[in-house]
Amino acid sequence: MEIKTITTQPFDDQRPGTSGLRKKVAQMQQPNYLENYVQSIFEILPELVGGALIVGGDGRFYNDIAIQTIVRMAAANGVKRLMVGQNGILSTPAASAVIRKFEAEGGLILSASHNPAGPDGDFGIKFNGHHGGPASETITEAIYKFSQSISSYKIVESHDIDLSTTGSQQLGEMEIIIFDPITDYADLMESIFDFDAIKAWITKGHSLRFDAMHAVTGPYATEILQKRLGAPADAIINGTPLSDFGGGHPDPNLVHAKVLVDELYSDGGPDFGAASDGDGDRNMILGNHFFVTPSDSLAIIAANAQLIPRYKSGINGIARSMPTSSAADRVAEKLGIEMHETPTGWKFFGNLLDAGRVTFCGEESFGTSSDHVREKDGIWAVLCWLNIIAARNESVAQIVESHWQEYGRTYYTRHDYEEIDLESAKGVMAHIESQFEALRGEARLGSKVKTADNFSYSDPVDGSQSHNQGLRIILENGSRVVFRLSGTGTVGATLRIYIEKYESRLEKLGEETQIALSELINFAEQISEIKQRTGRDAPSVIT
Ligand code: VG1
Ligand code: CO
């Protein structure tokens, strides 16, 4: 089979963000754009030559075309075995699970996660390594550097490969295995949780609703919730994956999963509700008339871990991204285990998980997972909650409220200003940082400013440093505002403001979040001059 070397020119915008390279579909469709990036991955990861590579994506528009290109380039670059999820489908956590199970050298995950899809939407590509997790910053930076001087890529000529039938086929020297993307993952879930207890809870007449948002988790939820756990068919809504996610925004939060939220808040609504995002790594947990913040979810799962078979003998430690609330810290303290605070993005958890220093990880952005994979895992989080609910025989609200009574409540909100002008966004950040020196030690909001800094992280396992990871103002009473620019958007800039306050007085545990945090919200808006500088009078999304 003839390997062709095609001459190309670099694109100057191929630096990966928080989670891989994400662009508008039209940008990705430019001649040689995807090819340049994929070739740069092959150049930086020589272990892929002669090795096994997993490929799959969330099924969005351009997934199938990108996979055919990757197949041809993998053959040209000397991959020995290419394993592709049937029909090109693999959720992000399932990709991580199969990389680990089959001990592949790595995987290419095609997804722009929670970003909308379709010809006018977004597309993305991400490399995960042998441990199943997103490549470290050192590797993504090297891929980017290579892409800046690339002059050619390698590809073979071939007809399109049939992705719809499982089995093995040959392309030149390379074996292509099309595999069922659901079963291995569902088996892994069954090995972690008490499926009998969950099944009994469901068949006793409790009702649940899972919103797959027309994205990748539909078939996973059907296999696990319906077939293995006995939930009725109507427990899953929007369960058919569509290449444009039905025109929706597959981000499981109070705004984008509103239909589900409204149902859970209606009279006679289900006992439990959940949703996942485009590529299946995020989760939102709801009870009847109740929303669990992702930060609380991490803390509560950790505090109840002994009820889940895989974790019954204890957990090693917990890690959370810096903007995630400190609720989990109090659980770690009580359990006497390690607690780590990392920059935003799952790649920063990899070393801690590999070293066995943490068992659970979480991000405020609706991401939670454990050491069973090296990605966040939406369905895993849903099963954690179902397992805990079944074992305690209590409602979501009862479980959360009793947690607050024991540990106190961490009020938490995130205000996003999306698609603002990039220069204004940078101006906001610079303006905040310019006040840091004056702020330190100042009396504010009935307390004192303890820390005002730009968060840096030193990885305790390999010593690598990451700077410029978000601006933090922390008060002595534990209240905190954090400002960050998103690294996953494809238009303009998105500024995120994260706000939290700790409350342990029992009579103050039941307040409405935005009201409880109103003073801190005003403080954040004042100090950032966000409204004046961006011309926006309110956040685009509040979660
Ligand atoms: C966002 C979240 C971050 C998450 C990332 C990828 O990044 O804040 O916590 O890891 O998305 O999630 P940013 O840079 O936009 O804040 V996913 O589900 O989109 O892969
Ligand atoms: Co995602």
Side-chain angles (χ1 to χ4, degrees):
M1 174 155 281
E2 194 199 344
I3 297 173
K4 290 194 157 184
T5 302
I6 310 289
T7 306
T8 186
Q9 304 272 331
F11 292 88
D12 63 7
D13 62 348
Q14 295 202 321
R15 175 175 261 136
T18 313
S19 180
L21 186 70
R22 267 182 215 183
K23 298 289 168 193
K24 285 270 162 230
V25 166
Q27 255 169 299
M28 282 278 184
Q29 285 172 322
Q30 296 172 84
N32 299 345
Y33 193 91
L34 178 71
E35 289 85 345
N36 277 13
Y37 193 71
V38 171
Q39 187 65 42
S40 304
I41 293 173
F42 282 123
E43 298 291 345
I44 296 306
L45 298 148
E47 65 266 34
L48 297 178
V49 177
L53 180 67
I54 307 277
V55 180
D58 61 15
R60 68 177 59 219
F61 181 81
Y62 206 55
N63 196 52
D64 44 357
I65 295 172
I67 288 179
Q68 297 293 348
T69 302
I70 290 168
V71 168
R72 293 184 183 109
M73 290 187 67
N77 279 281
V79 169
K80 187 162 176 243
R81 195 155 32 97
L82 188 74
M83 297 183 61
V84 188
Q86 190 177 16
N87 296 315
I89 294 296
L90 257 185
S91 78
T92 291
S96 184
V98 291
I99 293 171
R100 295 167 68 78
K101 177 170 175 179
F102 296 110
E103 298 184 358
E105 270 59 51
L108 290 173
I109 303 177
L110 305 169
S111 170
S113 189
H114 57 288
N115 300 18
D120 302 323
D122 292 348
F123 192 76
I125 176 166
K126 181 169 79 150
F127 177 75
N128 281 29
H130 181 61
H131 65 159
S136 67
E137 255 192 345
T138 317
I139 293 175
T140 56
E141 231 3 68
I143 294 169
Y144 168 67
K145 284 243 168 67
F146 189 89
S147 78
Q148 295 311 287
S149 60
I150 192 167
S151 57
S152 65
Y153 62 84
K154 287 191 238 168
I155 194 158
V156 300
E157 253 176 32
S158 110
H159 57 87
D160 278 357
I161 299 299
D162 171 19
L163 302 176
S164 65
T165 318
T166 56
S168 169
Q169 49 192 304
Q170 204 69 28
L171 180 61
E173 301 281 290
M174 183 174 81
E175 183 188 15
I176 303 173
I177 299 173
I178 308 295
F179 67 98
D180 160 18
I182 312 294
T183 306
D184 295 312
Y185 177 81
D187 290 348
L188 176 62
M189 293 302 113
E190 201 162 348
S191 75
I192 295 175
F193 298 101
D194 187 345
F195 269 35
D196 289 340
I198 300 175
K199 204 171 179 173
W201 182 82
I202 292 173
T203 45
K204 254 187 255 155
H206 293 104
S207 56
L208 73 148
R209 200 72 83 231
F210 177 81
D211 187 350
M213 306 190 89
H214 284 306
V216 78
T217 49
Y220 293 90
T222 303
E223 173 66 24
I224 296 168
L225 298 177
Q226 214 177 303
K227 294 209 186 120
R228 300 198 187 192
L229 290 168
D234 68 359
I236 299 164
I237 58 172
N238 301 320
T240 309
L242 299 173
S243 67
D244 66 349
F245 302 142
H249 197 140
D251 197 353
N253 62 35
L254 296 173
V255 177
H256 296 306
K258 191 166 182 311
V259 175
L260 175 78
V261 175
D262 287 348
E263 197 192 352
L264 268 290
Y265 277 80
S266 66
D267 291 335
D271 300 303
F272 178 80
S276 190
D277 72 331
D279 61 330
D281 56 359
R282 296 187 176 207
N283 74 90
M284 174 169 65
I285 302 295
L286 300 162
N288 190 277
H289 289 89
F290 207 89
F291 163 66
V292 186
T293 70
S295 298
D296 273 353
S297 178
L298 172 66
I300 292 165
I301 290 171
N304 289 278
Q306 76 286 352
L307 301 175
I308 300 171
R310 181 181 167 111
Y311 315 107
K312 69 171 184 295
S313 53
I315 59 172
N316 299 339
I318 310 174
R320 62 167 171 84
S321 67
M322 181 274 283
T324 304
S325 99
S326 55
D329 301 32
R330 284 177 268 281
V331 176
E333 200 184 337
K334 184 157 184 192
L335 295 174
I337 55 174
E338 287 189 31
M339 184 74 218
H340 296 270
E341 186 179 42
T342 60
T344 295
W346 212 262
K347 56 178 174 273
F348 294 103
F349 294 133
N351 280 345
L352 292 166
L353 288 162
D354 285 349
R357 295 184 60 171
V358 301
T359 303
F360 292 138
C361 301
E363 293 194 278
E364 51 64 43
S365 54
F366 298 82
T368 335
S369 193
S370 88
D371 58 4
H372 68 291
V373 285
R374 295 291 179 274
E375 284 281 3
K376 52 190 191 271
D377 189 342
I379 288 192
W380 172 90
V382 172
L383 293 170
C384 277
W385 272 90
L386 288 172
N387 194 143
I388 293 167
I389 292 167
R392 292 177 60 128
N393 198 21
E394 286 179 322
S395 70
V396 172
Q398 283 169 329
I399 292 169
V400 177
E401 279 160 5
S402 71
H403 185 88
W404 291 342
Q405 272 154 24
E406 186 174 348
Y407 292 91
R409 176 174 178 186
T410 315
Y411 284 97
Y412 189 84
T413 190
R414 185 175 105 185
H415 288 200
D416 291 334
Y417 291 78
E418 293 179 339
E419 298 187 11
I420 54 178
D421 170 65
L422 181 60
E423 287 314 309
S424 320
K426 286 184 183 162
V428 170
M429 296 297 276
H431 177 65
I432 299 164
E433 210 168 350
S434 73
Q435 300 165 77
F436 277 178
E437 218 176 297
L439 270 173
R440 290 184 195 119
E442 276 264 293
R444 288 290 163 124
L445 307 174
S447 184
K448 228 178 180 186
V449 177
K450 187 173 92 180
T451 309
D453 70 359
N454 191 334
F455 180 62
S456 285
Y457 178 65
S458 170
D459 186 304
V461 179
D462 68 9
S464 57
Q465 306 279 322
S466 300
H467 301 289
N468 211 13
Q469 295 293 337
L471 303 178
R472 325 184 278 183
I473 303 172
I474 308 172
L475 304 184
E476 278 177 354
N477 62 10
S479 294
R480 186 175 80 140
V481 293
V482 173
F483 303 85
R484 247 191 93 246
L485 290 180
S486 153
T488 55
T490 55
V491 180
T494 289
L495 192 113
R496 307 200 194 285
I497 308 182
Y498 311 82
I499 298 151
E500 91 177 70
K501 175 176 117 174
Y502 177 65
E503 178 60 69
S504 58
R505 292 167 293 181
L506 289 184
E507 71 280 10
K508 296 269 189 189
L509 296 181
E511 283 182 35
E512 200 280 319
T513 300
Q514 301 301 316
I515 294 171
L517 294 172
S518 58
E519 279 193 333
L520 282 158
I521 294 169
N522 288 339
F523 170 64
E525 287 176 357
Q526 262 172 30
I527 204 136
S528 60
E529 295 184 351
I530 180 104
K531 294 185 177 170
Q532 301 88 305
R533 287 172 180 269
T534 63
R536 298 284 175 90
D537 56 6
S540 338
V541 178
I542 295 179
T543 47

